[in-house]
PDB file of all heavy atoms in Angstrom:
ATOM      1  N   LEU A 175      97.548 200.445  63.326  1.00  0.00           N
ATOM      2  CA  LEU A 175      98.237 199.361  64.038  1.00  0.00           C
ATOM      3  C   LEU A 175      98.830 198.364  63.042  1.00  0.00           C
ATOM      4  O   LEU A 175      99.917 197.825  63.238  1.00  0.00           O
ATOM      5  CB  LEU A 175      97.266 198.633  64.969  1.00  0.00           C
ATOM      6  CG  LEU A 175      96.888 199.385  66.243  1.00  0.00           C
ATOM      7  CD1 LEU A 175      95.825 198.626  67.009  1.00  0.00           C
ATOM      8  CD2 LEU A 175      98.121 199.602  67.110  1.00  0.00           C
ATOM      9  N   TYR A 176      98.073 198.121  61.980  1.00  0.00           N
ATOM     10  CA  TYR A 176      98.594 197.239  60.926  1.00  0.00           C
ATOM     11  C   TYR A 176      99.780 197.907  60.246  1.00  0.00           C
ATOM     12  O   TYR A 176     100.835 197.293  60.050  1.00  0.00           O
ATOM     13  CB  TYR A 176      97.486 196.929  59.913  1.00  0.00           C
ATOM     14  CG  TYR A 176      97.980 196.242  58.659  1.00  0.00           C
ATOM     15  CD1 TYR A 176      98.679 195.040  58.731  1.00  0.00           C
ATOM     16  CD2 TYR A 176      97.765 196.806  57.400  1.00  0.00           C
ATOM     17  CE1 TYR A 176      99.146 194.414  57.590  1.00  0.00           C
ATOM     18  CE2 TYR A 176      98.228 196.180  56.249  1.00  0.00           C
ATOM     19  CZ  TYR A 176      98.921 194.988  56.346  1.00  0.00           C
ATOM     20  OH  TYR A 176      99.394 194.367  55.220  1.00  0.00           O
ATOM     21  N   GLU A 177      99.608 199.181  59.920  1.00  0.00           N
ATOM     22  CA  GLU A 177     100.681 199.859  59.191  1.00  0.00           C
ATOM     23  C   GLU A 177     101.953 199.992  60.042  1.00  0.00           C
ATOM     24  O   GLU A 177     103.064 199.805  59.551  1.00  0.00           O
ATOM     25  CB  GLU A 177     100.199 201.222  58.691  1.00  0.00           C
ATOM     26  CG  GLU A 177      99.481 201.079  57.347  1.00  0.00           C
ATOM     27  CD  GLU A 177      98.215 201.909  57.240  1.00  0.00           C
ATOM     28  OE1 GLU A 177      98.152 202.962  57.887  1.00  0.00           O
ATOM     29  OE2 GLU A 177      97.279 201.477  56.523  1.00  0.00           O
ATOM     30  N   GLU A 178     101.764 200.255  61.344  1.00  0.00           N
ATOM     31  CA  GLU A 178     102.941 200.480  62.195  1.00  0.00           C
ATOM     32  C   GLU A 178     103.567 199.170  62.674  1.00  0.00           C
ATOM     33  O   GLU A 178     104.784 198.997  62.661  1.00  0.00           O
ATOM     34  CB  GLU A 178     102.490 201.322  63.400  1.00  0.00           C
ATOM     35  CG  GLU A 178     103.616 201.738  64.305  1.00  0.00           C
ATOM     36  CD  GLU A 178     103.086 202.320  65.611  1.00  0.00           C
ATOM     37  OE1 GLU A 178     101.936 202.815  65.643  1.00  0.00           O
ATOM     38  OE2 GLU A 178     103.828 202.237  66.605  1.00  0.00           O
ATOM     39  N   LEU A 179     102.709 198.236  63.116  1.00  0.00           N
ATOM     40  CA  LEU A 179     103.238 197.036  63.781  1.00  0.00           C
ATOM     41  C   LEU A 179     103.057 195.754  62.962  1.00  0.00           C
ATOM     42  O   LEU A 179     103.437 194.687  63.402  1.00  0.00           O
ATOM     43  CB  LEU A 179     102.538 196.847  65.143  1.00  0.00           C
ATOM     44  CG  LEU A 179     102.688 197.998  66.149  1.00  0.00           C
ATOM     45  CD1 LEU A 179     101.804 197.769  67.362  1.00  0.00           C
ATOM     46  CD2 LEU A 179     104.144 198.121  66.580  1.00  0.00           C
ATOM     47  N   ARG A 180     102.467 195.861  61.781  1.00  0.00           N
ATOM     48  CA  ARG A 180     102.151 194.684  60.940  1.00  0.00           C
ATOM     49  C   ARG A 180     101.275 193.678  61.685  1.00  0.00           C
ATOM     50  O   ARG A 180     101.435 192.460  61.562  1.00  0.00           O
ATOM     51  CB  ARG A 180     103.410 193.975  60.426  1.00  0.00           C
ATOM     52  CG  ARG A 180     104.453 194.818  59.733  1.00  0.00           C
ATOM     53  CD  ARG A 180     103.936 195.907  58.901  1.00  0.00           C
ATOM     54  NE  ARG A 180     103.395 195.566  57.593  1.00  0.00           N
ATOM     55  CZ  ARG A 180     102.796 196.462  56.794  1.00  0.00           C
ATOM     56  NH1 ARG A 180     102.649 197.713  57.178  1.00  0.00           N
ATOM     57  NH2 ARG A 180     102.323 196.101  55.630  1.00  0.00           N
ATOM     58  N   ILE A 181     100.361 194.225  62.508  1.00  0.00           N
ATOM     59  CA  ILE A 181      99.409 193.365  63.204  1.00  0.00           C
ATOM     60  C   ILE A 181      98.388 192.853  62.200  1.00  0.00           C
ATOM     61  O   ILE A 181      97.673 193.641  61.568  1.00  0.00           O
ATOM     62  CB  ILE A 181      98.683 194.166  64.321  1.00  0.00           C
ATOM     63  CG1 ILE A 181      99.645 194.402  65.486  1.00  0.00           C
ATOM     64  CG2 ILE A 181      97.437 193.437  64.790  1.00  0.00           C
ATOM     65  CD1 ILE A 181      99.034 195.228  66.583  1.00  0.00           C
ATOM     66  N   ARG A 182      98.326 191.561  62.000  1.00  0.00           N
ATOM     67  CA  ARG A 182      97.398 190.933  61.066  1.00  0.00           C
ATOM     68  C   ARG A 182      97.412 189.439  61.332  1.00  0.00           C
ATOM     69  O   ARG A 182      98.198 188.951  62.131  1.00  0.00           O
ATOM     70  CB  ARG A 182      97.797 191.203  59.606  1.00  0.00           C
ATOM     71  CG  ARG A 182      99.256 190.885  59.288  1.00  0.00           C
ATOM     72  CD  ARG A 182      99.523 190.690  57.822  1.00  0.00           C
ATOM     73  NE  ARG A 182      98.981 189.390  57.389  1.00  0.00           N
ATOM     74  CZ  ARG A 182      99.021 188.926  56.151  1.00  0.00           C
ATOM     75  NH1 ARG A 182      99.542 189.644  55.199  1.00  0.00           N
ATOM     76  NH2 ARG A 182      98.536 187.726  55.858  1.00  0.00           N
ATOM     77  N   LYS A 183      96.549 188.732  60.653  1.00  0.00           N
ATOM     78  CA  LYS A 183      96.576 187.274  60.739  1.00  0.00           C
ATOM     79  C   LYS A 183      97.665 186.759  59.801  1.00  0.00           C
ATOM     80  O   LYS A 183      97.686 187.116  58.623  1.00  0.00           O
ATOM     81  CB  LYS A 183      95.205 186.739  60.313  1.00  0.00           C
ATOM     82  CG  LYS A 183      95.082 185.234  60.366  1.00  0.00           C
ATOM     83  CD  LYS A 183      93.793 184.752  59.714  1.00  0.00           C
ATOM     84  CE  LYS A 183      92.600 184.876  60.642  1.00  0.00           C
ATOM     85  NZ  LYS A 183      91.437 184.060  60.166  1.00  0.00           N
ATOM     86  N   TYR A 184      98.589 185.951  60.328  1.00  0.00           N
ATOM     87  CA  TYR A 184      99.615 185.322  59.487  1.00  0.00           C
ATOM     88  C   TYR A 184      99.316 183.839  59.264  1.00  0.00           C
ATOM     89  O   TYR A 184      99.469 183.336  58.171  1.00  0.00           O
ATOM     90  CB  TYR A 184     101.011 185.477  60.108  1.00  0.00           C
ATOM     91  CG  TYR A 184     101.505 186.900  60.034  1.00  0.00           C
ATOM     92  CD1 TYR A 184     101.393 187.752  61.132  1.00  0.00           C
ATOM     93  CD2 TYR A 184     102.043 187.407  58.862  1.00  0.00           C
ATOM     94  CE1 TYR A 184     101.825 189.069  61.060  1.00  0.00           C
ATOM     95  CE2 TYR A 184     102.470 188.725  58.776  1.00  0.00           C
ATOM     96  CZ  TYR A 184     102.357 189.554  59.877  1.00  0.00           C
ATOM     97  OH  TYR A 184     102.752 190.862  59.787  1.00  0.00           O
ATOM     98  N   GLY A 185      98.857 183.175  60.329  1.00  0.00           N
ATOM     99  CA  GLY A 185      98.617 181.735  60.220  1.00  0.00           C
ATOM    100  C   GLY A 185      99.917 180.953  60.344  1.00  0.00           C
ATOM    101  O   GLY A 185     100.993 181.481  60.036  1.00  0.00           O
ATOM    102  N   PHE A 186      99.811 179.722  60.816  1.00  0.00           N
ATOM    103  CA  PHE A 186     101.002 178.870  61.000  1.00  0.00           C
ATOM    104  C   PHE A 186     100.678 177.448  60.499  1.00  0.00           C
ATOM    105  O   PHE A 186      99.596 177.237  59.957  1.00  0.00           O
ATOM    106  CB  PHE A 186     101.432 178.885  62.472  1.00  0.00           C
ATOM    107  CG  PHE A 186     101.806 180.291  62.893  1.00  0.00           C
ATOM    108  CD1 PHE A 186     100.843 181.148  63.427  1.00  0.00           C
ATOM    109  CD2 PHE A 186     103.083 180.783  62.685  1.00  0.00           C
ATOM    110  CE1 PHE A 186     101.163 182.465  63.767  1.00  0.00           C
ATOM    111  CE2 PHE A 186     103.409 182.096  63.022  1.00  0.00           C
ATOM    112  CZ  PHE A 186     102.446 182.931  63.560  1.00  0.00           C
ATOM    113  N   HIS A 187     101.591 176.513  60.716  1.00  0.00           N
ATOM    114  CA  HIS A 187     101.451 175.139  60.198  1.00  0.00           C
ATOM    115  C   HIS A 187     101.312 175.133  58.668  1.00  0.00           C
ATOM    116  O   HIS A 187     100.813 174.175  58.081  1.00  0.00           O
ATOM    117  CB  HIS A 187     100.190 174.419  60.753  1.00  0.00           C
ATOM    118  CG  HIS A 187     100.210 174.140  62.212  1.00  0.00           C
ATOM    119  ND1 HIS A 187      99.073 174.211  62.987  1.00  0.00           N
ATOM    120  CD2 HIS A 187     101.212 173.775  63.039  1.00  0.00           C
ATOM    121  CE1 HIS A 187      99.383 173.916  64.236  1.00  0.00           C
ATOM    122  NE2 HIS A 187     100.666 173.652  64.298  1.00  0.00           N
ATOM    123  N   GLY A 188     101.754 176.218  58.006  1.00  0.00           N
ATOM    124  CA  GLY A 188     101.530 176.327  56.556  1.00  0.00           C
ATOM    125  C   GLY A 188     102.184 175.200  55.772  1.00  0.00           C
ATOM    126  O   GLY A 188     101.638 174.734  54.767  1.00  0.00           O
ATOM    127  N   THR A 189     103.347 174.753  56.247  1.00  0.00           N
ATOM    128  CA  THR A 189     104.055 173.688  55.531  1.00  0.00           C
ATOM    129  C   THR A 189     103.218 172.409  55.547  1.00  0.00           C
ATOM    130  O   THR A 189     103.161 171.674  54.563  1.00  0.00           O
ATOM    131  CB  THR A 189     105.437 173.446  56.195  1.00  0.00           C
ATOM    132  OG1 THR A 189     106.071 174.722  56.307  1.00  0.00           O
ATOM    133  CG2 THR A 189     106.301 172.528  55.390  1.00  0.00           C
ATOM    134  N   SER A 190     102.543 172.170  56.669  1.00  0.00           N
ATOM    135  CA  SER A 190     101.685 170.990  56.777  1.00  0.00           C
ATOM    136  C   SER A 190     100.428 171.150  55.906  1.00  0.00           C
ATOM    137  O   SER A 190     100.062 170.238  55.159  1.00  0.00           O
ATOM    138  CB  SER A 190     101.295 170.780  58.246  1.00  0.00           C
ATOM    139  OG  SER A 190     100.400 169.703  58.367  1.00  0.00           O
ATOM    140  N   HIS A 191      99.782 172.297  55.985  1.00  0.00           N
ATOM    141  CA  HIS A 191      98.570 172.508  55.164  1.00  0.00           C
ATOM    142  C   HIS A 191      98.903 172.376  53.670  1.00  0.00           C
ATOM    143  O   HIS A 191      98.127 171.823  52.896  1.00  0.00           O
ATOM    144  CB  HIS A 191      97.955 173.879  55.462  1.00  0.00           C
ATOM    145  CG  HIS A 191      97.317 173.962  56.827  1.00  0.00           C
ATOM    146  ND1 HIS A 191      96.135 173.324  57.133  1.00  0.00           N
ATOM    147  CD2 HIS A 191      97.702 174.582  57.968  1.00  0.00           C
ATOM    148  CE1 HIS A 191      95.814 173.559  58.407  1.00  0.00           C
ATOM    149  NE2 HIS A 191      96.754 174.318  58.932  1.00  0.00           N
ATOM    150  N   LYS A 192     100.079 172.880  53.292  1.00  0.00           N
ATOM    151  CA  LYS A 192     100.476 172.809  51.880  1.00  0.00           C
ATOM    152  C   LYS A 192     100.743 171.363  51.462  1.00  0.00           C
ATOM    153  O   LYS A 192     100.307 170.919  50.404  1.00  0.00           O
ATOM    154  CB  LYS A 192     101.748 173.650  51.682  1.00  0.00           C
ATOM    155  CG  LYS A 192     102.198 173.778  50.260  1.00  0.00           C
ATOM    156  CD  LYS A 192     103.387 174.721  50.218  1.00  0.00           C
ATOM    157  CE  LYS A 192     103.899 174.887  48.812  1.00  0.00           C
ATOM    158  NZ  LYS A 192     105.105 175.729  48.797  1.00  0.00           N
ATOM    159  N   TYR A 193     101.451 170.648  52.330  1.00  0.00           N
ATOM    160  CA  TYR A 193     101.789 169.252  52.017  1.00  0.00           C
ATOM    161  C   TYR A 193     100.523 168.407  51.864  1.00  0.00           C
ATOM    162  O   TYR A 193     100.367 167.674  50.888  1.00  0.00           O
ATOM    163  CB  TYR A 193     102.689 168.680  53.124  1.00  0.00           C
ATOM    164  CG  TYR A 193     103.054 167.224  52.925  1.00  0.00           C
ATOM    165  CD1 TYR A 193     104.102 166.870  52.089  1.00  0.00           C
ATOM    166  CD2 TYR A 193     102.338 166.216  53.562  1.00  0.00           C
ATOM    167  CE1 TYR A 193     104.441 165.539  51.895  1.00  0.00           C
ATOM    168  CE2 TYR A 193     102.661 164.885  53.375  1.00  0.00           C
ATOM    169  CZ  TYR A 193     103.712 164.535  52.539  1.00  0.00           C
ATOM    170  OH  TYR A 193     104.030 163.222  52.349  1.00  0.00           O
ATOM    171  N   VAL A 194      99.596 168.533  52.833  1.00  0.00           N
ATOM    172  CA  VAL A 194      98.399 167.675  52.749  1.00  0.00           C
ATOM    173  C   VAL A 194      97.489 168.105  51.603  1.00  0.00           C
ATOM    174  O   VAL A 194      96.766 167.280  51.041  1.00  0.00           O
ATOM    175  CB  VAL A 194      97.624 167.579  54.094  1.00  0.00           C
ATOM    176  CG1 VAL A 194      98.510 167.008  55.188  1.00  0.00           C
ATOM    177  CG2 VAL A 194      96.996 168.892  54.517  1.00  0.00           C
ATOM    178  N   THR A 195      97.551 169.381  51.233  1.00  0.00           N
ATOM    179  CA  THR A 195      96.765 169.837  50.076  1.00  0.00           C
ATOM    180  C   THR A 195      97.238 169.112  48.822  1.00  0.00           C
ATOM    181  O   THR A 195      96.440 168.579  48.041  1.00  0.00           O
ATOM    182  CB  THR A 195      96.904 171.372  49.901  1.00  0.00           C
ATOM    183  OG1 THR A 195      96.291 172.011  51.019  1.00  0.00           O
ATOM    184  CG2 THR A 195      96.272 171.858  48.611  1.00  0.00           C
ATOM    185  N   ARG A 196      98.555 169.053  48.648  1.00  0.00           N
ATOM    186  CA  ARG A 196      99.085 168.394  47.454  1.00  0.00           C
ATOM    187  C   ARG A 196      98.805 166.894  47.476  1.00  0.00           C
ATOM    188  O   ARG A 196      98.416 166.305  46.467  1.00  0.00           O
ATOM    189  CB  ARG A 196     100.586 168.655  47.342  1.00  0.00           C
ATOM    190  CG  ARG A 196     101.006 168.841  45.909  1.00  0.00           C
ATOM    191  CD  ARG A 196     102.485 168.968  45.675  1.00  0.00           C
ATOM    192  NE  ARG A 196     103.278 168.314  46.658  1.00  0.00           N
ATOM    193  CZ  ARG A 196     104.090 168.954  47.510  1.00  0.00           C
ATOM    194  NH1 ARG A 196     104.185 170.258  47.468  1.00  0.00           N
ATOM    195  NH2 ARG A 196     104.788 168.285  48.391  1.00  0.00           N
ATOM    196  N   GLU A 197      98.971 166.273  48.653  1.00  0.00           N
ATOM    197  CA  GLU A 197      98.727 164.828  48.761  1.00  0.00           C
ATOM    198  C   GLU A 197      97.251 164.501  48.528  1.00  0.00           C
ATOM    199  O   GLU A 197      96.918 163.500  47.904  1.00  0.00           O
ATOM    200  CB  GLU A 197      99.164 164.320  50.143  1.00  0.00           C
ATOM    201  CG  GLU A 197     100.665 164.342  50.353  1.00  0.00           C
ATOM    202  CD  GLU A 197     101.401 163.420  49.400  1.00  0.00           C
ATOM    203  OE1 GLU A 197     101.119 162.215  49.392  1.00  0.00           O
ATOM    204  OE2 GLU A 197     102.259 163.925  48.643  1.00  0.00           O
ATOM    205  N   ALA A 198      96.361 165.363  49.031  1.00  0.00           N
ATOM    206  CA  ALA A 198      94.917 165.131  48.847  1.00  0.00           C
ATOM    207  C   ALA A 198      94.554 165.269  47.370  1.00  0.00           C
ATOM    208  O   ALA A 198      93.778 164.463  46.826  1.00  0.00           O
ATOM    209  CB  ALA A 198      94.116 166.120  49.693  1.00  0.00           C
ATOM    210  N   ALA A 199      95.145 166.259  46.698  1.00  0.00           N
ATOM    211  CA  ALA A 199      94.856 166.449  45.264  1.00  0.00           C
ATOM    212  C   ALA A 199      95.309 165.214  44.486  1.00  0.00           C
ATOM    213  O   ALA A 199      94.585 164.703  43.628  1.00  0.00           O
ATOM    214  CB  ALA A 199      95.566 167.705  44.755  1.00  0.00           C
ATOM    215  N   LYS A 200      96.508 164.725  44.838  1.00  0.00           N
ATOM    216  CA  LYS A 200      97.036 163.521  44.175  1.00  0.00           C
ATOM    217  C   LYS A 200      96.075 162.355  44.384  1.00  0.00           C
ATOM    218  O   LYS A 200      95.709 161.645  43.452  1.00  0.00           O
ATOM    219  CB  LYS A 200      98.395 163.180  44.815  1.00  0.00           C
ATOM    220  CG  LYS A 200      99.505 162.911  43.826  1.00  0.00           C
ATOM    221  CD  LYS A 200     100.742 162.353  44.526  1.00  0.00           C
ATOM    222  CE  LYS A 200     101.607 163.421  45.166  1.00  0.00           C
ATOM    223  NZ  LYS A 200     102.696 162.851  45.997  1.00  0.00           N
TER     224      LYS A 200
END
Side-chain angles (χ1 to χ4, degrees):
L175 285 174
Y176 169 57
E177 275 137 29
E178 185 191 336
L179 301 172
R180 308 324 283 174
I181 287 177
R182 51 160 286 178
K183 181 190 279 196
Y184 289 98
F186 298 90
H187 294 144
T189 309
S190 176
H191 289 288
K192 186 175 180 184
Y193 178 83
V194 300
T195 294
R196 217 186 27 246
E197 291 297 302
K200 228 190 278 172

